[in-house]
Each structure stands twice: as structure tokens, then as C-alpha cells.
Amino acid sequence: MIVCPLFSGSSGNSTYVEHGASRILVDCGGSGKQIENALKAIDVDPRRLTAIVVTHSHDDHIRGVGVLSRRYDLPVYASVGTWDYLIKRNKIGSVATKNIRVFQSGKTNEALDLGDVAATYFPTPHDAYDSVGYVFSDGKSTFGFATDVGHVAANVRNALLGVDAALLEANYDEEMLWGGPYPEDLKARIASKKGHLSNLDAASFAVELVKSGVKTLYLGHLSEHNNTPMIAQCTVAEVLGDGGVVPQKDCALYVANRYTPSQRLEL
Ligand SMILES: [Zn+2]
Ligand SMILES: [Zn+2]
């Protein structure tokens, strides 16, 4: 399986997953052009995409879903609640009926058949209705994906422990958030149990992940105002070290880039 975050952060998110004939976008939080350019930068022809998988309905995850589905005739997988919201609020325009693939997020023991890749899903604690994360599998290797999670709930933990690689949110540095310019109610929303993971939240879960077998960890969905790649990487590396994990030896640690494709991973 090949994994490559195309761009990641509160400004927009999309990650590419490939195995065999399956070429999947996890979220399309950018314009069609931005996503096409990112795919070209990693030598992927957008005409060969096979599916779009959506985590939740916030704009930084869905801006390009409709346009890419229409342009390349792509099926769109989303939870019932996410799909209803996108359609009722007219967020993505019209999608051909045959390309609508809606699932019940509660049935977490079922897997989406994406061709040569299967995806299981799990509900995430976030302030978007019916939001989910995913674990992708090619039958041999697994890649877990969890951004926009207010806290590491038991089901999120269970879903991600033991995967081979993961992209985990590290949204904000606590000092930067609380000392920063955001209004108090927005700060509280971000730090709430249905908001986003801080660097420290991500770090302590990262220790568990690496000890469970995760060999590659991307930190993603960084805030533009309340974090920097350097602070996120250092905070997580330090806590990993305190937990007896040697970063870059026991586990490769990357920060997913905000605007450009990140390290391509072959699992
Ligand atoms: Zn987001
Ligand atoms: Zn969100």
C-alpha cells in the first residue's frame, strides 16, 4: 500500500492511498485544481482515481469532493449523517446517484470494499455530526487515519492500536492556543472533547501507538495560528523519548506539510 498526505492542516486536507488498482483520496479539502496539482506532483494521474472517502462535513475536508466526483466519475463514501448534511446545505453540488456510497457509522464491524483496499471506519468525537476515522488495509498492511478528534476515545484507541502506520492529528500547542489571539469561546471549542487534539494529546497516544507496533507516524491537521511543524515534532519526539521510544529508530515521525505532498510511504 502506498500512502501520501497531499496537504494537511486547518486550511485543507487530502491524503492519497493506493494499492493494486485502487487509488483513493481520503477527504478533498481543497479546490479541484489544488488536488490535481498535488497528485501530479507525486506522479498520479487524477483520471486513474477510483474513490473518495470522507471523514466529516467541515469545509477543510470537503471543498473538492463534488467537483472531483463529477470530473472523474468517482464514488463518494461518507457516513449517513455526513452525507445528509452535505446535501441539505448544498456543500458539494450534485453527485450522480450511482456514485453515492453512504454507510451507517455505527456498524463499525463492517468494511467498505474499495477494490484492492478495504476500509473500516470508527466514530470520532468531534463537533461535526456523524464524523468518522478510517483504517485502510490491503490485506497485509494497515494505515490508520484520525484527524479532527477532540480526545482519544476508547473506540479511537482500539481502532488505531496495532496498525502499521498512522496519520494522527496534532492540532495545537496549548501555550500558543491559550496565549493566542482567538476569542475565548473558540479556544474552548478547539480544546473541548469534541474539538481537536493538542500536541501533548497526540504525543501521549503516540507512545501507545508505537508500543503497539506503529512504525510510521504522520502528525497532521496542524493549526496555522496555534502550532508550528517544529513545535509539534519536538513535543511529540520528547514525549516519545520519555516513554522509552527512540524517534526515527523505533518509529519514523513526520509532520504532514500544510500545502505540499509529504513523505511518500510504501507499506
Ligand atoms: Zn478539519
Ligand atoms: Zn473538523
Side-chain angles (χ1 to χ4, degrees):
M1 185 158 49
I2 291 166
V3 171
C4 187
L6 298 177
F7 47 91
S8 181
S10 40
S11 40
N13 297 275
S14 189
T15 294
Y16 178 69
V17 175
E18 172 187 321
H19 178 69
S22 295
R23 290 169 166 76
I24 301 150
L25 289 177
V26 188
D27 287 335
C28 291
S31 68
K33 197 83 219 141
Q34 183 185 2
I35 293 166
E36 286 167 352
N37 287 341
L39 287 168
K40 278 174 196 152
I42 60 163
D43 281 330
V44 173
D45 185 339
R47 288 173 299 187
R48 299 188 67 196
L49 289 171
T50 57
I52 296 169
V53 171
V54 179
T55 59
H56 67 296
S57 56
H58 285 158
D59 281 354
D60 55 319
H61 299 261
I62 55 94
R63 273 179 216 115
V65 167
V67 68
L68 287 180
S69 174
R70 289 186 289 277
R71 193 170 292 166
Y72 300 108
D73 193 23
L74 296 173
V76 180
Y77 293 80
S79 70
V80 174
T82 299
W83 187 258
D84 286 351
Y85 182 91
L86 292 177
I87 295 307
K88 273 191 198 131
R89 302 292 177 100
N90 194 23
K91 289 277 188 185
I92 58 171
S94 64
V95 169
T97 307
K98 70 180 174 76
N99 283 332
I100 301 171
R101 308 287 162 83
V102 169
F103 58 84
Q104 303 274 355
S105 65
K107 295 185 177 173
T108 48
N109 52 351
E110 289 184 6
L112 306 176
D113 178 357
L114 305 173
D116 291 327
V117 174
T120 54
Y121 43 86
F122 52 93
T124 48
H126 190 50
D127 53 6
Y129 186 58
D130 215 10
S131 59
V132 297
Y134 293 96
V135 175
F136 298 91
S137 171
D138 62 6
K140 208 168 61 122
S141 307
T142 48
F143 169 61
F145 188 94
T147 68
D148 304 72
V149 280
H151 66 286
V152 181
N155 73 309
V156 175
R157 171 176 279 106
N158 289 339
L160 293 187
L161 286 178
V163 297
D164 297 300
L167 190 151
L168 179 66
E169 170 170 55
N171 183 255
Y172 65 95
D173 172 76
E174 307 210 1
E175 271 181 43
M176 285 180 78
L177 175 70
W178 294 111
Y182 281 11
E184 293 307 311
D185 57 340
L186 180 56
K187 290 179 185 177
R189 194 222 120 203
I190 291 167
S192 80
K193 294 188 96 176
K194 298 194 94 181
H196 294 277
L197 286 187
S198 72
N199 292 340
L200 280 174
D201 295 331
S204 50
F205 187 37
V207 175
E208 289 184 68
L209 287 175
V210 176
K211 289 186 173 172
S212 77
V214 172
K215 288 278 178 287
T216 306
L217 184 62
Y218 293 100
L219 304 175
H221 206 291
L222 273 64
S223 164
E224 197 157 13
H225 303 287
N226 303 312
N227 211 351
T228 70
M230 181 69 92
I231 289 175
Q233 172 114 13
C234 289
T235 304
V236 173
E238 196 177 318
V239 174
L240 283 174
D242 292 346
V245 174
V246 183
Q248 312 309 1
K249 180 171 163 273
D250 298 333
C251 169
L253 181 63
Y254 302 106
V255 177
N257 299 329
R258 178 173 300 282
Y259 296 116
T260 53
S262 299
Q263 179 69 36
R264 177 183 185 273
L265 177 65
E266 228 171 309
L267 288 168

